[in-house]
């Protein structure tokens, strides 16, 4: 077990009708003017924004609004929000939506507080030293951004998808009402479940383990898969929605990586380039590349994959660890298929050309300047081979 630091400052308010507490939660932060940041029209049509505005009015909190965040959020929208915050004197940002909205809010928080071009943080040109305080009302269980220290944005100039991490952006509070996820399309629900699983699996597949953390990861994965199956037949099953929503937060707040080397995030890096180039749903893109990555790196830690097969899918591990490990990979892919997620890039309607694979590998390796992953560090040629396997 390695030394670790675990930090989770976010106050979680979980349960039915909890969005009504937003006004008081923001007032407790001693803030005077709020940017309410959201995505499309669903928050408007459902009445959620009206309920939030009512709560803010009752707390005598002034606010302005900015909608229009899209999946794979754009840096241009964040820049628009930064200008609005400066113009209106905003001192708090409330994100109403899923991971894309929360990540956009985090970028706005950095840019409004630090000045300069916010993209500099995402390309590691600068380090943020301030961020406006942020809270969120979660409407999609997936990204875990409500309790994480990270944000991922896409720059339309070159379609680069990049992340930035800092404890400065962690939400002061997260309002989690599972009922707000009832109306999500089945595809979006399944994509979110895959994202939660992958946040856990990326940490689980590591070279430095801790037994308790392993068991937490294994339990979380089994819980997500069990409840994802329930939601296919019962999309308004409150308990299943609640289990998924809480799993999403725990999967990405650091708990699932305590005492380990942080895990292997190669699948996320591979998907980021797909998301940047083709604007695919994040969870679906992860499902499409994971099996190919797993088979490619399997020989470098067969025991870990065999443990995954045994403890998550109850696949017996006899003397042939490789066979058990491969069956575990297949079992995960079978789950993806069960919830109508892709297991190859072509299943997302994308026919990759050799030239596109070269471009993806070049971008993913930061122009052949880095490797990704820890089970087997992947260079640009390795990355290219994984994309080829996945197409």
């Amino acid at each position: 077990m390695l030394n670790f630091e675990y930090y989770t400052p976010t106050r979680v308010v979980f349960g039915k009708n909890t969005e009504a507490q937003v006004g008081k939660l923001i007032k407790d932060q001693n803030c005077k003017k709020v940017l309410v940041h959201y995505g499309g029209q669903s928050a408007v049509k459902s009445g959620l924004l009206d309920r939030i505005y009512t709560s803010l009015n009752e707390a005598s909190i002034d606010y302005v609004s900015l909608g229009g965040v899209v999946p794979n959020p754009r840096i241009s929208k964040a820049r628009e929000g930064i200008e609005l915050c400066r113009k209106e004197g905003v001192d708090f940002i409330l994100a109403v939506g899923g991971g894309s909205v929360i990540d956009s809010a985090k970028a706005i928080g950095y840019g409004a507080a630090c000045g300069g071009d916010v993209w500099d943080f995402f390309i590691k040109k600068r380090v943020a030293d301030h961020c406006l305080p942020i809270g969120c009302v979660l409407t999609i269980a997936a990204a875990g951004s409500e309790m994480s220290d990270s944000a991922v944005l896409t720059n339309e100039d070159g379609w680069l998808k990049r992340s930035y991490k800092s404890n400065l952006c962690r939400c002061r509070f997260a309002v989690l009402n599972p009922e707000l996820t009832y109306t999500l399309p089945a595809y979006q629900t399944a994509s979110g479940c895959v994202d939660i699983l992958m946040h856990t699996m990326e940490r689980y597949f590591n070279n430095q383990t801790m037994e308790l953390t392993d068991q937490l990861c294994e339990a979380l994965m089994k819980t997500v898969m069990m409840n994802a199956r329930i939601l296919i037949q019962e999309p308004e099953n409150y308990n299943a929605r609640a289990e998924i929503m809480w799993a999403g937060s725990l999967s990405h707040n650091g708990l699932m990586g305590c005492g380990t080397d942080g895990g292997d995030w190669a699948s996320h890096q591979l998907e980021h380039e797909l998301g940047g180039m083709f604007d695919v749903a994040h969870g679906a893109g992860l499902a499409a590349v994971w099996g190919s990555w797993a088979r490619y790196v399997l020989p470098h830690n067969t025991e870990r994959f065999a443990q995954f097969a045994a403890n998550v899918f109850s696949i017996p591990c006899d003397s042939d660890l490789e066979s058990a490990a491969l069956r575990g990979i297949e079992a995960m892919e079978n789950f993806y298929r069960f919830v109508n997620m892709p297991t190859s890039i072509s299943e997302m309607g994308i026919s990759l050309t050799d030239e596109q694979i070269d471009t993806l590998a070049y971008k993913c390796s930061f122009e052949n300047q880095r490797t990704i992953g820890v089970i087997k560090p992947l260079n640009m040629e390795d990355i290219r081979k994984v994309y080829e396997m996945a197409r």
Side-chain angles (χ1 to χ4, degrees):
M1 181 182 75
L2 300 178
N3 293 356
F4 66 89
E5 183 174 322
Y6 179 54
Y7 178 63
T8 53
T10 303
R11 178 181 178 182
V12 175
V13 183
F14 194 104
K16 298 178 180 180
N17 304 314
T18 45
E19 63 272 19
Q21 300 181 41
V22 163
K24 181 182 183 304
L25 289 167
I26 294 177
K27 196 167 188 176
D28 289 345
Q29 298 294 322
N30 296 314
C31 294
K32 298 180 180 179
K33 191 161 189 178
V34 177
L35 171 65
V36 179
H37 197 36
Y38 63 97
Q41 290 301 304
S42 61
V44 178
K45 293 177 180 177
S46 68
L48 175 59
L49 279 183
D50 284 341
R51 296 197 298 276
I52 288 171
Y53 293 152
T54 296
S55 183
L56 293 175
N57 289 329
E58 290 174 348
S60 300
I61 296 172
D62 196 10
Y63 59 88
V64 292
S65 298
L66 178 64
V69 180
V70 298
N72 296 310
R74 311 291 197 251
I75 195 68
S76 58
K77 180 59 67 174
R79 288 169 176 155
E80 182 182 348
I82 291 165
E83 291 303 314
L84 182 60
C85 285
R86 291 171 178 165
K87 176 183 175 183
E88 296 288 340
V90 165
D91 59 1
F92 191 93
I93 303 173
L94 178 68
V96 181
S100 294
V101 175
I102 300 170
D103 285 3
S104 183
K106 290 176 178 179
I108 293 170
Y110 288 133
C114 296
D117 186 4
V118 68
W119 186 246
D120 288 346
F121 302 127
F122 289 83
I123 59 174
K124 311 303 185 286
K125 187 176 180 180
R126 288 194 294 153
V127 176
D129 55 8
H130 289 86
C131 185
L132 290 184
I134 299 165
C136 74
V137 177
L138 188 66
T139 63
I140 303 172
S145 190
E146 66 275 8
M147 289 189 75
S148 81
D149 63 353
S150 62
V152 180
L153 261 74
T154 297
N155 191 331
E156 299 96 314
D157 183 9
W159 294 104
L160 298 173
K161 190 173 180 180
R162 295 290 180 262
S163 64
Y164 184 66
K165 287 188 174 185
S166 168
N167 283 323
L168 294 169
C169 76
R170 287 184 184 267
C171 289
R172 301 293 180 88
F173 64 80
V175 172
L176 275 58
N177 177 0
E179 291 178 312
L180 300 180
T181 67
Y182 281 178
T183 58
L184 287 174
Y187 187 86
Q188 200 167 6
T189 295
S191 184
C193 289
V194 172
D195 198 6
I196 296 167
L197 286 168
M198 287 300 302
H199 282 150
T200 310
M201 291 158 64
E202 300 277 52
R203 291 177 168 89
Y204 183 82
F205 286 103
N206 58 61
N207 292 320
Q208 295 284 342
T209 66
M210 180 180 181
E211 183 176 350
L212 177 56
T213 300
D214 279 358
Q215 292 182 13
L216 290 172
C217 287
E218 291 158 359
L220 192 149
M221 286 186 273
K222 289 189 287 187
T223 296
V224 169
M225 286 188 285
M226 179 181 70
N227 286 284
R229 292 185 177 99
I230 291 172
L231 290 177
I232 289 177
Q233 301 296 326
E234 304 173 45
E236 295 189 8
N237 184 309
Y238 179 83
N239 287 335
R241 289 285 183 182
E243 295 281 0
I244 294 291
M245 182 169 270
W246 188 225
S249 296
L250 294 183
S251 73
H252 206 34
N253 73 355
L255 180 62
M256 299 299 144
C258 288
T260 75
D261 60 12
D264 188 308
W265 291 85
S267 294
H268 262 78
Q269 301 305 316
L270 292 163
E271 192 288 326
H272 281 176
E273 302 310 327
L274 285 173
M277 183 179 288
F278 298 105
D279 205 24
V280 299
H282 182 51
L286 289 168
V289 301
W290 182 78
S292 295
W293 165 82
R295 290 182 177 87
Y296 191 79
V297 304
L298 172 62
H300 299 271
N301 198 336
T302 305
E303 293 82 2
R304 192 66 173 162
F305 283 92
Q307 177 180 321
F308 171 74
N311 294 352
V312 178
F313 292 104
S314 301
I315 294 171
C317 285
D318 49 25
S319 58
D320 190 349
L321 293 182
E322 182 179 1
S323 176
L326 285 169
R327 289 169 62 196
I329 295 170
E330 291 167 1
M332 180 54 74
E333 288 181 318
N334 286 336
F335 168 77
Y336 291 156
R337 295 185 184 102
F338 184 84
V339 295
N340 296 312
M341 284 286 101
T343 56
S344 69
I345 295 169
S346 63
E347 290 175 33
M348 295 188 291
I350 299 168
S351 298
L352 284 180
T353 65
D354 290 344
E355 182 179 1
Q356 287 172 327
I357 289 176
D358 288 340
T359 300
L360 288 167
Y362 185 66
K363 287 184 176 181
C364 190
S365 65
F366 286 9
E367 301 178 2
N368 203 19
Q369 297 299 308
R370 71 161 181 172
T371 61
I372 60 173
V374 298
I375 298 291
K376 171 180 167 50
L378 306 178
N379 60 28
M380 187 170 71
E381 182 56 28
D382 292 317
I383 292 168
R384 191 186 194 289
K385 290 176 180 177
V386 175
Y387 279 129
E388 285 180 338
M389 290 172 62
R391 67 173 170 182

